[in-house]
Amino acid sequence: MLAKRIIPCLDVKDGKTVKGVNFVNFRDAGDPVELGKQYSDQGADELVFLDITASYEGRKTFTDVVKRVAENVSIPFTVGGGITELADVERLLNAGADKVSVNSLALKRPEIINEIAEHFGSQVCVVAIDANFEDNFWRCYVNGGHLPTDKEIFSWAKEAQERGAGEILFTSMTHDGMKIGYPNEALRQLSDTLKIPVIASGGAGKKEDFKDVFEIGHADAALAASVFHFGEIKIPELKQYLSEQNICVRL
């Protein structure tokens, strides 16, 4: 059985780590380089760095910050935000990223998924999906949750897989920062219909939420931010708890 992964997420705005609720009302959570090192040392399985306003502001991800984080971590490192062309992927990989996360660009120009997979391998391509549950429908959003699309999550995730995505990172805007648990029903439907790993994001508030996302949501990895940034849950303690619940994790 593959070990379930615990992934802290650095949402970066203006070079600082921030955390919001439902994609708004951000508060400062610290220096991304220091936090990244801390999580790497604590035994996180991977790290995700998202420049959350790059697409909305129409600019590129901060390469220098990516480089500094990469130099300080010894775990796989995924970077997203502001990717508008294949050259951006190469730039981020050269700066030290192991994988890139594409969201807005993938929805606007789905061929980018094929191009990343062909040039760098599927393992490099994480397709991030920000979706909000509205009118009994998981609607996909672009530009950091600012713009709704007519795509729904399940058909879009399937298309992304067929185009060569290596993983899906599903963030529930409805659950983001609410600490009420992950959207396990939607995650289970997603995980059970896809052949590639699904990373769950949005809603972690307590250790039990991680247990539920693996057992009920069938997620392959659980991503969280504020519970780690503000010391509410410590990664070694979380992994110990999950292990005691018979969930396979790397200790």
Side-chain angles (χ1 to χ4, degrees):
M1 187 195 293
L2 280 176
K4 301 294 189 182
R5 290 170 287 152
I6 300 297
I7 307 177
C9 180
L10 305 175
D11 288 333
V12 178
K13 184 175 188 279
D14 305 326
K16 289 181 180 166
T17 310
V18 296
K19 187 64 199 104
V21 175
N22 304 133
F23 282 44
V24 292
N25 301 328
F26 296 106
R27 61 175 171 147
D28 193 349
D31 176 61
V33 180
E34 282 173 24
L35 282 172
K37 184 179 187 316
Q38 189 180 306
Y39 294 140
S40 180
D41 294 346
Q42 281 178 8
D45 296 296
E46 296 188 17
L47 183 69
V48 168
F49 172 111
L50 300 175
D51 190 335
I52 57 170
T53 55
S55 291
Y56 179 59
E57 292 170 2
R59 59 170 173 75
K60 307 291 188 186
T61 308
F62 291 114
T63 313
D64 58 327
V65 184
V66 171
K67 205 171 274 184
R68 281 167 41 228
V69 173
E71 285 165 357
N72 284 277
V73 302
S74 56
I75 52 177
F77 176 40
T78 301
V79 179
I83 295 169
T84 58
E85 57 187 352
L86 201 61
D88 292 330
V89 177
E90 190 160 12
R91 174 172 59 82
L92 293 171
L93 294 175
N94 287 340
D98 298 286
K99 309 178 202 178
V100 295
S101 161
V102 285
N103 182 344
S104 300
L105 177 62
L107 274 159
K108 291 169 186 168
R109 195 171 76 77
E111 301 77 30
I112 191 67
I113 302 170
N114 305 68
E115 292 166 15
I116 295 170
E118 283 160 19
H119 281 81
F120 307 107
S122 283
Q123 79 285 352
V124 163
C125 186
V126 178
V127 171
I129 303 175
D130 295 336
N132 199 42
F133 192 64
E134 47 197 59
D135 304 321
N136 285 321
F137 175 79
W138 279 101
R139 184 182 299 281
C140 300
Y141 276 69
V142 293
N143 289 20
H146 285 84
L147 281 180
T149 71
D150 59 359
K151 291 269 192 184
E152 61 83 30
I153 187 172
F154 304 107
S155 58
W156 170 231
K158 202 159 185 299
E159 181 183 340
Q161 173 181 268
E162 285 161 6
R163 287 181 176 277
E167 290 180 284
I168 297 293
L169 165 54
F170 164 36
T171 300
S172 166
M173 294 169 62
T174 314
H175 294 70
D176 175 65
M178 298 297 287
K179 301 187 180 180
I180 53 172
Y182 294 90
N184 291 318
E185 300 302 317
L187 280 160
R188 186 169 67 232
Q189 190 179 336
L190 203 55
S191 298
D192 291 354
T193 53
L194 297 176
K195 297 184 180 76
I196 57 176
V198 173
I199 304 166
S201 167
K206 54 189 187 298
K207 291 175 189 171
E208 290 78 8
D209 294 335
F210 290 87
K211 173 179 182 277
D212 290 346
V213 81
F214 295 134
E215 289 186 344
I216 303 167
H218 297 178
D220 298 278
L223 179 146
S226 59
V227 290
F228 296 145
H229 299 340
F230 303 116
E232 294 158 43
I233 296 176
K234 298 208 166 27
I235 291 170
E237 291 168 16
L238 172 61
K239 287 192 158 191
Q240 192 59 49
Y241 163 79
L242 291 171
S243 179
E244 287 162 7
Q245 301 298 315
N246 298 314
I247 290 166
C248 178
V249 288
R250 291 185 196 90
L251 291 172

